């Protein structure tokens, strides 16, 4: 095989590797995010009949039904290559990192829907005292350098009740 042909093939291989792998990450991340947002919208419409409240105790709870129960949800969503790259560029100049806001929004909405699903599966029709907390599962992913992968981790908890829906 000719040396020049081998050199051209090696250049093509490395170019495909350096362009193709990030491109797959960008496209895959976008498609995954789009599907997740569509899934969240559909599930939020389906969950509209369950009562969600931030108050600590629920005044419309029906006495004599099943006792209130604590429900939990955990959601961890990792950043894709494009978001991480854009956040690194934003970190140079400072300012709001919008590429991570969608990731955080997805994690919060997913945690709330998981709380609702958990309550519904156990036969309850209301949740109150909803608390969503962020957690650092990446160990300071934004400050450790190139090997870290930023993630949005949300821990949710709530109290599930049987509520009167007659009013």
């Amino acid at each position: 095989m000719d040396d020049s042909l081998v050199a051209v093939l090696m250049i093509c291989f490395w170019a495909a590797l350096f362009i193709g792998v990030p491109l797959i990450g960008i496209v895959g991340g976008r498609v995954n995010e789009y599907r997740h947002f569509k899934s969240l919208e559909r599930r939020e419409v389906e969950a509209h009949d369950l009562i969600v409240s931030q108050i600590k105790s629920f005044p419309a709870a029906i006495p004599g039904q099943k006792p209130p129960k604590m429900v939990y949800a955990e959601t961890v969503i990792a950043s894709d290559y494009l978001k991480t790259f854009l956040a690194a560029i934003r970190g140079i100049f400072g300012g709001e990192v919008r590429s991570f806001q969608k990731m955080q929004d997805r994690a919060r909405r997913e945690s709330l829907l998981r709380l609702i699903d958990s309550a519904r599966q156990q036969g309850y029709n209301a949740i109150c005292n909803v608390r969503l907390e962020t957690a650092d599962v990446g160990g300071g992913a934004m400050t450790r350098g190139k090997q870290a992968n930023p993630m949005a981790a949300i821990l949710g908890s709530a109290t599930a009740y049987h509520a009167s829906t007659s009013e």
Side-chain angles (χ1 to χ4, degrees):
M1 191 177 276
D2 190 15
D3 286 344
S4 61
L5 180 62
V6 171
V8 169
L9 289 175
M10 290 301 292
I11 290 171
C12 290
F13 171 76
W14 287 110
L17 187 67
F18 284 113
I19 294 171
V21 171
L23 189 63
I24 289 170
I26 290 168
V27 171
R30 289 282 178 175
V31 168
N32 198 18
E33 182 179 84
Y34 176 78
R35 286 182 182 168
H36 191 219
F37 272 120
K38 288 295 178 190
S39 167
L40 289 171
E41 289 170 6
R42 179 186 50 79
R43 291 167 49 210
E44 286 169 347
V45 168
E46 291 172 359
H48 78 281
D49 61 331
L50 198 129
I51 301 167
V52 178
S53 171
Q54 301 289 331
I55 58 176
K56 287 190 174 185
S57 63
F58 200 65
I62 301 173
Q65 294 282 337
K66 291 169 60 175
K69 187 173 184 180
M70 186 85 141
V71 289
Y72 303 95
E74 300 171 353
T75 305
V76 179
I77 296 178
S79 173
D80 61 48
Y81 179 79
L82 179 63
K83 283 185 179 63
T84 305
F85 178 73
L86 292 175
I89 291 175
R90 177 57 78 179
I92 294 170
F93 302 107
E96 188 175 340
V97 183
R98 292 189 183 139
S99 58
F100 287 157
Q101 287 178 341
K102 283 185 178 179
M103 185 174 67
Q104 203 63 10
D105 179 44
R106 287 172 53 201
R108 261 194 309 274
R109 290 169 65 187
E110 181 65 40
S111 281
L112 183 59
L113 285 170
R114 288 181 183 180
L115 288 174
I116 290 170
D117 289 344
S118 177
R120 191 183 309 268
Q121 287 173 359
Q122 297 177 46
Y124 295 99
N125 67 349
I127 57 173
C128 70
N129 200 21
V130 174
R131 300 291 181 254
L132 299 175
E133 303 283 333
T134 58
D136 183 12
V137 295
M142 290 304 294
T143 59
R144 289 193 320 168
K146 294 179 180 178
Q147 296 177 350
N149 189 18
M151 293 179 237
I154 303 290
L155 306 173
S157 64
T159 307
Y161 283 91
H162 269 284
S164 171
T165 56
S166 61
E167 294 182 27

